[in-house]
Amino acid sequence: MTALTDPPKESFRIGMLLSDTRYRSLTFQAIALLVLIYCIATLANNLVTNLAAAGLNISFDFLNAPSGYDINQTLIPYTSQSTNLQAAWVGIINTLLVAVLACATATIFGVIAGVLRLSNNWLVRKLMSFYVEIFRNIPVLIWIIIIFTIITAALDSPRAYLGDDPSKQLGLGYFAFTNRGIYVPLPVWGPGSGIVVGVFFASIIGVFAYRRYAKKLLFDTGRLLPMGWPSLVILFVPAIIVYFVMGSPISLDAPDPLANRFNLQGGLQVPAPLIALWFALSIYTGAFIAENVRAGIQAVSKGQTEAAAALGMRPRRIMNLVVLPQALRVIIPPLISQYLNITKNSSLAIAVGYADITATLGGITLNTSGRAIECILLLMLFYLIISLSISAVMNVYNNAIKLKER
């Protein structure tokens, strides 16, 4: 009788890095990585050597020097005596502001247009097709310039609202639409306003909790709870009650036509460059998102819709509860790319004089300091960080809604 035993394990030899298939791919990857590092190091060394020979050593000391220029829109304290670093922060905040606003409105435009493109109404379907084809086939820079030109040429100057007998009256007593931008009331936060704001944010969480409970109840028992008016009650009633209990701590500072002879005073001015850039990015990217939404909805089998209709569900609920949750798994990946495009396309803001990071750090600061390489490196780092952050957040959401395999 013969006893079977495992063959003795072969000891590792250098030659196995190429001859053994277990190590060969790792060997080639390590070689490729070393070659890549060598090339990058060589290029960096040549760059530093050539800059030193030309008397252009890389230094970021210019960030602490006074900027010497004004910025027309600042959300943080800034003067011409502030440093270049502070000017860069102003540009970063302005870039993030327009990117967040454009991502939100582009999503709204895109979802509405994408759903309506599949409407049974011929006129609505063709109008949405016209919107998509017109806006996505013309460069966004042209749309920015067109919208900015319309705002500055079609609207009246602030002088039309000034004086005891103005030619135009404030809309609802609070809003003024001028060629310099839109004037809106500015909230004035008094003592106790933080409590009101806190209750409002808690109400938003309450709305999501109620809608989640209603959906779970529907799936578990088939019992249908109303969504619309309970959500509005939860959202506004607690905050309104707390507002009056705290003695109305939040008031509005409206534009005053009588405070100045040359311009409106008070309120908040949303400048024309911001409006043009925001609206252009929204409608341009919204056309692409509409196609993503349409593709996502069409990817859901018609049998799903027919089955839901056979159960007696109305078309709106079929769309909200059956079609869109499944379509999101197709919509989200390309939607990430659209959000990244919005952020990067905001660098076209300089065309209408909006002070984003490209206009401040990559424009005026670069020209006044002469530090082109440093400014471009910082710009690249900023857009890289923002893009990776957007991708990370959206990938987390995408993983949360994708099918969970057992």
Side-chain angles (χ1 to χ4, degrees), residues 14 18 50 71 115 163 184 196 212 218-219 247 255 265 271 273 290 394 400:
I14 295 297
L18 293 178
N50 292 336
I71 298 177
V115 173
V184 299
V196 179
R212 185 170 184 175
L218 176 65
F219 290 162
Q265 297 292 316
M394 293 302 295

Side-chain angles (χ1 to χ4, degrees), residues 145-157 178-180 272-273:
I145 295 174
I146 289 175
I147 295 173
F148 183 73
T149 303
I150 292 174
I151 292 175
T152 54
L155 297 180
D156 296 313
S157 68
T178 73
N179 56 6
R180 296 181 186 175

Side-chain angles (χ1 to χ4, degrees), residues 91-383:
I92 289 173
I93 293 174
N94 287 346
T95 299
L96 295 178
L97 173 66
V98 74
V100 171
L101 293 174
C103 284
T105 48
T107 303
I108 295 173
F109 289 162
V111 171
I112 293 175
V115 173
L116 293 181
R117 279 209 74 184
L118 301 173
S119 171
N120 294 325
N121 188 304
W122 180 88
L123 180 60
V124 172
R125 188 170 65 250
K126 292 303 178 183
L127 283 176
M128 290 302 104
S129 299
F130 177 78
Y131 158 70
V132 170
E133 298 303 333
I134 287 295
F135 282 95
R136 74 173 179 174
N137 289 314
I138 295 177
V140 64
L141 176 60
I142 294 178
W143 284 118
I144 294 173
I145 295 174
I146 289 175
I147 295 173
F148 183 73
T149 303
I150 292 174
I151 292 175
T152 54
L155 297 180
D156 296 313
S157 68
R159 189 181 293 272
Y161 292 88
L162 302 179
D164 295 326
D165 186 20
S167 58
K168 295 185 73 68
Q169 299 291 334
L170 294 177
L172 302 175
Y174 291 102
F175 300 94
F177 300 89
T178 73
N179 56 6
R180 296 181 186 175
I182 300 175
Y183 292 81
V184 299
L186 180 67
V188 179
W189 310 100
S193 58
I195 298 176
V196 179
V197 174
V199 170
F200 182 72
F201 280 108
S203 300
I204 294 176
I205 298 174
V207 170
F208 281 103
Y210 172 76
R211 298 177 75 87
R212 185 170 184 175
Y213 167 75
K215 184 181 293 186
K216 185 175 184 303
L217 187 67
L218 176 65
F219 290 162
D220 292 344
T221 66
R223 183 184 172 192
L224 187 61
L225 293 179
M227 288 285 194
W229 68 265
S231 299
L232 293 176
V233 169
I234 296 173
L235 183 62
F236 291 110
V237 171
I240 293 174
I241 293 175
V242 173
Y243 173 79
F244 286 108
V245 169
M246 297 300 297
S248 305
I250 304 175
S251 58
L252 294 178
D253 178 23
D256 186 0
L258 303 176
N260 191 291
R261 292 189 304 166
F262 303 102
N263 200 359
L264 288 166
Q265 297 292 316
L268 174 66
Q269 180 191 4
V270 184
L274 172 60
I275 297 172
L277 182 65
W278 173 16
F279 194 55
L281 290 175
S282 299
I283 58 175
Y284 175 78
T285 311
F288 290 92
I289 294 177
E291 287 299 273
N292 297 336
V293 171
R294 183 175 67 90
I297 292 175
Q298 289 183 325
V300 179
S301 170
K302 282 190 176 181
Q304 300 276 338
T305 304
E306 294 170 352
L311 293 174
M313 297 182 69
R314 297 176 180 177
R316 188 170 61 86
R317 288 198 173 274
I318 294 175
M319 180 61 69
N320 292 335
L321 299 178
V322 178
V323 178
L324 278 182
Q326 299 181 77
L328 280 176
R329 294 162 189 152
V330 180
I331 296 171
I332 294 301
L335 188 63
I336 299 174
S337 298
Q338 299 306 330
Y339 286 169
L340 297 179
N341 288 338
I342 286 179
T343 305
K344 290 179 284 188
N345 285 338
S346 67
S347 61
L348 297 172
I350 196 171
V352 290
Y354 182 72
D356 72 329
I357 183 64
T358 304
T360 55
L361 181 62
I364 305 175
T365 299
L366 186 152
N367 291 326
T368 55
S369 66
R371 293 289 180 177
I373 294 177
E374 293 89 339
C375 290
I376 297 302
L377 286 175
L378 291 175
L379 273 180
M380 292 170 58
L381 180 64
F382 166 74
Y383 283 110

